[in-house]
Amino acid sequence: MTLEKLVASKSVNPKTLAITFDDGYQDIYKYALPILKKYNAPATVFIITDYIGKENTWDVNLGWIRYEHLNEREIESLIDAGWEINSHGISHCSLRGLDEEGIIRELSRSKTILQERFRQPVRFFAIPFGNVNERIRRLAIKTGYQGIAGFYPVKYYKNPLPPGIILRLAVYRTDSLKSIKQKLSNNGALLKEVLKQNAINLCSNATIIVNSLR
Ligand SMILES: [Zn+2]
């Protein structure tokens, strides 16, 4: 199911899921699109508007490896295949480091750019580095988003969610079929994966720190 349909559904089969990709790398077009097409499964991609068709110079990774982002033509192909295009901001900066005006700019400008360029509604925002706070949640709703997707803070494992918050469980290259099954479960195995993701999210803050030193 697309994210929009899943969020709009009052009750869904517990086996339903929405697949989302952050950052909009070119390998989504090369590898994910053909596989998901085969299974007739649409997905959502969260695009960084300043990096359409460019390398990921925003990212601090091991060995400073560079990857290409999707270009406009590839994004159009995803839309043609029934995918949703949503926003991952203008520059992939940490919104927590910005003042209110800066946060609104990242939210609002990226939404406008995508809507105008691809003539598609942009309903959701995936926050770079995963951590949504109350101010950012409120501003996302104020700037016209239906929801903001981050990672899965463990505090929401048993507690109710504030309006507009979308929890996601990340799948990394280090994941196995077993760990993916655990993420899709509804028991203690899920909690284990949530805790693991909380630890990984702490590490992604290293990128924020290094970027602030550059
Ligand atoms: Zn990202």
Side-chain angles (χ1 to χ4, degrees):
M1 212 177 245
T2 59
L3 188 59
E4 194 227 336
K5 271 195 187 157
L6 189 61
V7 168
S9 303
K10 291 266 183 298
S11 68
V12 287
N13 178 327
K15 287 191 173 175
T16 307
L17 59 95
I19 299 171
T20 71
F21 296 91
D22 280 12
D23 306 325
Y25 285 121
Q26 206 168 41
D27 54 9
I28 295 170
Y29 175 78
K30 275 190 192 162
Y31 304 110
L33 177 64
I35 294 169
L36 292 176
K37 247 187 189 170
K38 189 174 146 194
Y39 294 102
N40 202 18
T44 294
V45 62
F46 288 100
I47 304 279
I48 315 162
T49 57
D50 265 1
Y51 288 91
I52 294 171
K54 294 182 188 155
E55 284 189 332
N56 65 331
T57 50
W58 58 268
D59 193 16
V60 175
N61 52 29
L62 293 174
W64 305 85
I65 307 161
R66 294 284 162 236
Y67 299 103
E68 288 283 327
H69 289 95
L70 296 161
N71 60 38
E72 289 192 12
R73 186 183 52 77
E74 290 157 346
I75 295 172
E76 295 280 5
S77 302
L78 297 177
I79 294 168
D80 290 345
W83 286 41
E84 277 175 9
I85 302 299
N86 284 300
S87 172
H88 198 36
I90 304 170
S91 61
H92 208 287
C93 67
S94 167
L95 269 58
R96 280 174 293 164
L98 301 178
D99 60 13
E100 189 148 321
E101 196 185 321
I103 298 170
I104 292 173
R105 198 182 117 77
E106 284 283 332
L107 290 163
S108 178
R109 180 102 188 93
S110 61
K111 189 178 199 288
T112 307
I113 290 171
L114 291 171
Q115 286 180 165
E116 285 178 359
R117 221 181 269 182
F118 300 105
R119 299 167 304 282
Q120 296 290 317
V122 172
R123 300 182 177 93
F124 303 103
F125 185 87
I127 187 162
F129 308 107
N131 214 342
V132 183
N133 62 23
E134 177 49 26
R135 178 163 78 147
I136 297 168
R137 185 198 68 84
R138 186 175 46 80
L139 292 173
I141 303 295
K142 195 178 159 190
T143 48
Y145 287 99
Q146 275 180 32
I148 180 161
F151 78 122
Y152 193 144
V154 70
K155 65 179 172 187
Y156 294 135
Y157 182 67
K158 287 275 184 223
N159 297 319
L161 279 179
I165 294 278
I166 298 165
L167 299 179
R168 295 183 301 170
L169 280 158
V171 176
Y172 299 102
R173 68 184 71 192
T174 50
D175 272 301
S176 61
L177 207 53
K178 186 183 163 210
S179 68
I180 293 170
K181 275 184 186 164
Q182 289 181 167
K183 288 173 210 278
L184 297 174
S185 73
N186 197 9
N187 52 35
L190 170 64
L191 178 60
K192 188 180 147 199
E193 291 300 317
V194 170
L195 290 170
K196 213 160 84 182
Q197 200 184 327
N198 277 252
I200 292 169
N201 194 262
L202 268 180
C203 302
S204 86
N205 290 329
T207 294
I208 302 174
I209 295 161
V210 176
N211 274 342
S212 72
L213 298 174
R214 282 205 286 179

